Amino acid sequence: MKSKENWLIVLFAAAYISISLFTALIVLFLVYEIFKIVKRQLTINGELKLSLFMIITPSLISTAVYGNLKEFTGVLSQTFFNISYFAKDMFNPTERLFYKVNLTIVIFCTVEAVITVFNYYRGLEQPIWGGVFEIGIVFSLGSLSAFVMFLLEKDKLKKGVYLILFLIFTFLVFYTGKRNPILGIFFSYVVLFVILLRFSHVGKKVLYALSGLFFVVVLAGTYVAFEKFPKYKILVEAVFTGKTLSERELNEFSSARWEIGKKGLEVIRKDFENKNILPILIGHGYNAGARLDPPSPVGRSYESIFLISEFINIGLIGLLGLIFLMYKYFKFVLSTKLQSKDQIVALPFLVFPTYFLVGGIFSGIWDAILPLYFLMFGIAENYFKDQNQ
């Protein structure tokens, strides 16, 4: 059991240090998982089973039909690698396991924070690897882990350290000024607070104080985002003055997603007019935005809103699978009830997919590290199912 726990530690450490190293390790892990499935030593099951196959299957078929070998390699990492979720039964879900992973995340996020702040002073917005969106993902999970460690820690000094790290990590997410990270972390905490407020073993005053503190950080971070990106003021003016936005203003506020969305709708319209049944059902595959007419202004995908972009990439079957995944995920998470305070340690991994399912509405629900987050959600799913029996 200890060696299997260490797999997760190594995967998280690699995810923070190097995307190339992480990719190599996750591929090896998936090969081992597939071997276990073929040998019938691992069962394919879980809340997300059907929805994941509804997403993965059309993405693979459509890319094989309409794409090339290089694009097929891309779709493996974008959808197929999420079969990592089915490896959840390889791990014994215990408080010890979740504590070790949370501690690993907090330690590496602390290092990431130092490097990120240093890079800010150099005029760069990046952690150890990646760019501004990785800052959002890294510190959102770090914020959640530091938060629950603060709730569980009894030593006053350590408790204070976790509180400070929670505030720093959270502020760094909002400092990016990007919609997706801001929406992602905000709704992740909404889900977290909904679960905690139904639990009687955590003082309501403490939760109200922490939620208030979180919203103070939200307000401060939102103010910084508005100062960094004046385009947000366009939306505020429209909401409070009733001003009708021009196409130029809509594109400015949406980072060109308005124009990209219109191109995507044109692709969909042509498919229906020409009765292209197969792409309507399974999509045009990975990198469709570079192959179709009209092409996406940003290439690869029609990144506007997921209803358009995912319909083009994985078709009606895949889009329904994604919506079904959202339904199954939120139904399970929001119905989860804590039985003891110790169970709080697993909450970051239960609620973190919210970050992608909400934050990715306007940019696609994908990240290079997502297979690891799906795996951790699966382990948390097993944990709460076992505990609530």
Side-chain angles (χ1 to χ4, degrees), residues 220-249:
T222 303
Y223 173 79
V224 171
F226 269 70
E227 290 300 310
K228 287 181 68 176
F229 297 100
K231 64 183 181 180
Y232 290 132
K233 296 176 183 178
I234 296 172
L235 180 64
V236 174
E237 290 175 3
V239 171
F240 287 100
T241 66
K243 174 186 174 183
T244 301
L245 300 180
S246 66
E247 294 246 340
R248 181 187 63 80
E249 289 173 320

Side-chain angles (χ1 to χ4, degrees), residues 330-350:
F330 284 112
K331 180 183 178 183
F332 177 79
V333 172
L334 293 175
S335 64
T336 297
K337 295 181 180 179
L338 301 180
Q339 305 297 324
S340 69
K341 188 174 180 179
D342 290 339
Q343 291 180 338
I344 291 173
V345 75
L347 287 182
F349 312 107
L350 187 74

